[in-house]
Amino acid sequence: PNLFNFQDVLFPTVAFGMGSTYIGEIYASFGILGFIVFLNFLMGIFLTIENLLPKIRQLETYTFIIISLAYISFYIHRNTFGFTIISIKRILIIMVFFILCEKIIKIPYKKQQTQ
């Protein structure tokens, strides 16, 4: 048996090759109807988060959500679910690093004055 052929284990009923993306995984598991339901679910999540963004007052949280959503919405058709989670974790680690650097160096935020 081929050790790298995970499709036989994960999707034994799929006769064609998969591209290991959300689109391929959803289509192979649930067909075209499942794919349409998935897209509507994903758009619902994006719209819900977009409506909640104006209520977020913490700059770090707001920045993390904006960067993560931009990354997910642009790369969702190219990556697997696992790689997307890893990428979001990397964004979070980088943000934590910069927040810690800011706390250590004590860089003050400058507020703009409105006129």
Side-chain angles (χ1 to χ4, degrees):
N2 187 352
L3 295 177
F4 298 106
N5 191 3
F6 62 91
Q7 182 174 334
D8 295 336
V9 176
L10 296 177
F11 304 103
T13 60
V14 178
F16 49 86
M18 290 178 47
S20 295
T21 64
Y22 284 102
I23 296 169
E25 291 171 0
I26 296 295
Y27 182 74
S29 298
F30 305 107
I32 192 71
L33 183 61
F35 178 67
I36 292 170
V37 169
F38 170 75
L39 283 182
N40 286 321
F41 175 73
L42 191 63
M43 287 187 294
I45 289 174
F46 284 163
L47 288 173
T48 302
I49 293 173
E50 182 182 358
N51 290 332
L52 292 176
L53 279 177
K55 299 174 184 171
I56 297 174
R57 299 288 178 228
Q58 193 173 21
L59 179 65
E60 292 84 1
T61 305
Y62 186 84
T63 305
F64 172 72
I65 291 173
I66 290 292
I67 292 172
S68 296
L69 282 181
Y71 181 83
I72 291 170
S73 62
F74 185 74
Y75 285 108
I76 195 162
H77 66 284
R78 299 180 183 188
N79 295 335
T80 63
F81 181 73
F83 188 74
T84 301
I85 297 299
I86 290 170
S87 299
I88 292 172
K89 183 178 77 171
R90 289 177 184 165
I91 294 169
L92 182 62
I93 289 170
I94 291 169
M95 293 220 30
V96 167
F97 173 75
F98 281 117
I99 290 169
L100 289 176
C101 288
E102 183 266 331
K103 298 292 182 193
I104 291 170
I105 299 172
K106 307 265 187 218
I107 300 172
Y109 290 114
K110 294 182 181 179
K111 294 184 179 181
Q112 289 183 335
Q113 295 179 354
T114 57
Q115 296 179 3

